Every structure is written in structure tokens, then in C-alpha cells.
Amino acid sequence: MLKIKPFVSLFLLCGTSISFAQFTDVINSNRPGQSMAAFSVGKTVFQTELGINRIQEKYDDANYEAETWASDLTLRYGVFFEQLEAIATFDYANETYSTPTTDIHNTGFRRVLLGAKFLIYDPERNYDPKPNLYSWKANHKFNWRQFIPAVALYGGININTNKDKFLRKGQPKDEDFSTKGMILTQNQFGRYTFLTNIILDKFPSQRRSIDYVLTMTRGFNARLSGFVEIQGFNGEFYKDHYFRTGAAYLLWQNLQVDASIASNFQAEPNLVFGGIGVSWRFDDNYTEVMLRSPKEEKNDGKSKKQKKDEEKKKQENKKRKDAIESTPVN
């Protein structure tokens, strides 16, 4: 099973030629990566994201192996505002833990997480660039504004429902309840989307950790997507980095399937992941919300500058007309 690990590097090398991505106004799924996007699903929109994973773990120094079939289910719903989203995550595991003398089989929820996300800043809101009608170069010059990210905040509660049955040797027991907070940023660079998650997890328990996830997705067409991702854990009892890559395919406007593989950096323990998943969105109750710029008037939707320009053009046209009419005809 550990022979799968070299294929992680092979997949990345091939990614430039076989991976594609979509950037559309259709389903916005966080799968198959582990990062969370800054934008919500939209008010009254319900979305479910389900994955099935195979995890192979081997630790020679501790003399054990573990094989796990796991499933993760995320439920997302837009509440109250366009920017606010309620999120519930459930991770279920079916694990076989083996040592030279014992075989232990455990099943149960490895993680239950309840939380909410709120978009606090969108650089595109109230920004309406005007095309330069006289310069092709001006319209195609490098846009430094794309480095300004959208920013969201996430807060949640970890609920320990497994009674520490999946603990490894040397790890402290988990608290019944602990908090999780995240700062989420999102940049759009043409066909590329870059996500950054800074995570404070399981505070204030002994297993508290300051983690991160960096995800880059590239788009080629409206259906197929590919991504690469680095995830880091920095706790007192566990430090490691994971590399993950995969692809997603849009079957219909509200339905996406995906696949991914991953591996950790350190050799002890050695971890290899492989999984598939599906995301589905229900948006029949959604009503499009038009976010009006504060500079726009409510009566006709035109800004003060637009009205001023139109008035200026009218004055110029009137002057030309008066000049023509006052010219004597011989």
C-alpha cells in the first residue's frame, strides 16, 4: 500500500497537462481540498459535500500499522445575509489498528465540528472599473488589485464524541469541547485561485495547534479543475506537513465529483491518503441579491460621476448645435 506514495509526485508533475478547473457561478465547493473558501454559498442555499477516504498509516518506531476507511460530511447553509454561512462537519472512521500482538477495530465519529463563516471584506464590492476606449494597453496592463484578497472569519466548536478511541500513544486526551477559529483569504489571479487558511484549533486544550492550509487551483474550462495544496500542523504533540493534489469535475450546474491523493512529509508515522467525493447544491429558494454601490442613486442606478459626464456631453452637443445654427450661409 505504501507504494502509492511516489504517485503523489507523479500526479503533480502530470498536473500541468492533465488537470483542468472551472471558475463559474455554479456550485462553489470546498472539496476536494482541506481549505475553506472565503465566500459563502449564498442566502437560503443548502449545500452538502461528502467524501470517502482510504488512509494507510505506518509507524516503525512505535511498531504499529493502521488502516482506515473514513467518510466526511459537510453541510453548509446560507443564513440571514449573503456573507454568512452555517457549517456542520462530521468525520466518521472505521479503523483497524495492528501491532505484532494485537488487532484493534474502532468505529465512530472522529470529529464533529459546528461553526459559522462570515465574509468581512470583498475587494470587488463597489469596485466598477471603466474600460479605456482609447488604449488597448491600458485595458490589458497588469492589475495589482488582484493581490488584495477577500477576507472571511470562521468560528466553531469541536465536539469530542469518540471518547479518545482513535488516540495514538503519547497524545493527551481530548477535551469534550474545544474551539476552532480561522482567518480565510482568497485571491483570484485570472484562471488561478489562491486560498490561505490560518487556523487556531482545539483551544484551550492540551492538543491545541496553530495550523495552516495553502491551496492553488487552476482553471482550464468550465467543468474540470485541478489543485495542489500544502497543509501544516504545529501542535505541542504533533507537527507535520501534508501535500495534497486532485481534481474535480462538474457534472451539472449543482453537482460536482472529485478525487484526491495525499501524503505527509515526515517518515514516522508515514501516512498515505486517497479519496473520492461528491458535492451537491440546492438553490431553488435563492433570490439574487444586487449589491448597489453607495455612490449610486436609487432612482435610476447611475452614479453621480456618470450623471455629470452625461450632463457635460449634453452641454458640448448644445454648443456644437448653436455654433452650426449661427454660421451664415452664403
Side-chain angles (χ1 to χ4, degrees):
M1 182 67 187
L2 295 177
K3 293 181 180 179
I4 295 177
K5 190 170 184 178
F7 285 95
V8 174
S9 300
L10 178 60
F11 194 96
L12 174 61
L13 293 174
C14 296
T16 56
S17 59
I18 66 174
S19 63
F20 301 86
Q22 81 277 347
F23 296 104
T24 67
D25 293 327
V26 293
I27 186 171
N28 171 27
S29 177
N30 289 322
R31 291 195 54 84
Q34 292 297 308
S35 61
M36 185 181 293
F39 294 94
S40 70
V41 292
K43 185 179 177 181
T44 72
V45 174
F46 172 76
Q47 187 164 306
T48 178
E49 301 169 8
L50 174 66
I52 299 175
N53 309 284
R54 173 78 176 272
I55 307 169
Q56 184 73 33
E57 179 180 354
K58 185 175 182 181
Y59 200 161
D60 291 332
D61 290 348
N63 204 18
Y64 78 80
E65 292 186 7
E67 186 175 294
T68 305
W69 284 98
S71 61
D72 55 90
L73 173 66
T74 299
L75 305 177
R76 306 169 61 187
Y77 185 71
V79 293
F80 304 127
F81 319 104
E82 282 294 296
Q83 300 93 333
L84 182 61
E85 175 182 307
I87 308 170
T89 302
F90 307 90
D91 289 350
Y92 186 85
N94 185 331
E95 176 188 86
T96 300
Y97 180 89
S98 302
T99 69
T101 57
T102 60
D103 285 318
I104 302 173
H105 184 239
N106 289 315
T107 61
F109 285 99
R110 179 175 286 179
R111 179 182 65 153
V112 175
L113 177 61
L114 305 178
K117 175 181 66 176
F118 186 77
L119 179 70
I120 62 174
Y121 177 69
D122 178 4
E124 298 302 319
R125 184 175 181 179
N126 301 331
Y127 175 65
D128 185 20
K130 303 298 181 183
N132 190 323
L133 302 179
Y134 305 101
S135 173
W136 181 93
K137 183 177 180 180
N139 291 324
H140 292 81
K141 68 180 181 180
F142 186 80
N143 183 13
W144 290 98
R145 188 181 178 84
Q146 64 189 333
F147 286 96
I148 303 175
V151 181
L153 297 178
Y154 171 90
I157 298 176
N158 296 295
I159 304 174
N160 181 13
T161 60
N162 61 61
K163 303 305 177 184
D164 304 308
K165 64 175 67 175
F166 299 106
L167 274 183
R168 298 295 182 251
K169 186 177 180 180
Q171 293 182 341
K173 290 186 177 181
D174 210 349
E175 301 289 341
D176 290 339
F177 300 94
S178 60
T179 61
K180 182 173 184 177
M182 293 193 288
I183 300 174
L184 318 171
T185 69
Q186 181 170 339
N187 293 85
Q188 190 71 42
F189 302 107
R191 290 188 174 185
Y192 290 88
T193 300
F194 181 64
L195 303 178
T196 301
N197 293 180
I198 305 299
I199 307 164
L200 304 178
D201 197 14
K202 296 190 176 179
F203 278 74
S205 72
Q206 285 185 289
R207 297 182 66 183
R208 60 186 178 273
S209 181
I210 301 176
D211 309 327
Y212 72 89
V213 187
L214 306 175
T215 307
M216 180 68 81
T217 303
R218 188 179 192 278
F220 288 90
N221 59 39
R223 289 194 177 272
L224 197 60
S225 67
F227 82 100
V228 291
E229 181 175 274
I230 298 293
Q231 182 177 15
F233 300 90
N234 186 33
E236 183 179 350
F237 298 93
Y238 182 72
K239 301 178 188 291
D240 203 351
H241 301 274
Y242 293 179
F243 170 79
R244 186 176 291 105
T245 186
Y249 187 79
L250 189 69
L251 292 176
W252 293 286
Q253 181 179 354
N254 291 331
L255 184 63
Q256 172 189 292
V257 294
D258 62 73
S260 64
I261 53 176
S263 178
N264 66 326
F265 283 19
Q266 66 185 27
E268 300 292 340
N270 174 256
L271 294 161
V272 179
F273 305 78
I276 57 174
V278 61
S279 302
W280 173 75
R281 181 179 71 177
F282 177 80
D283 60 358
D284 286 359
N285 297 325
Y286 180 69
T287 301
E288 186 175 1
V289 177
M290 302 299 293
L291 298 177
R292 186 184 300 277
S293 168
K295 296 181 180 180
E296 294 176 348
E297 299 291 342
K298 291 184 178 181
N299 55 354
D300 57 4
K302 294 181 181 179
S303 67
K304 292 181 180 180
K305 185 177 183 303
Q306 288 175 321
K307 290 185 175 182
K308 186 176 180 179
D309 291 340
E310 288 181 359
E311 186 63 27
K312 185 178 179 180
K313 288 181 180 179
K314 287 181 181 179
Q315 293 295 334
E316 290 176 351
N317 291 336
K318 186 176 184 301
K319 288 180 180 179
R320 293 193 190 98
K321 183 178 179 182
D322 291 341
I324 293 173
E325 290 177 347
S326 61
T327 302
V329 180
N330 295 327

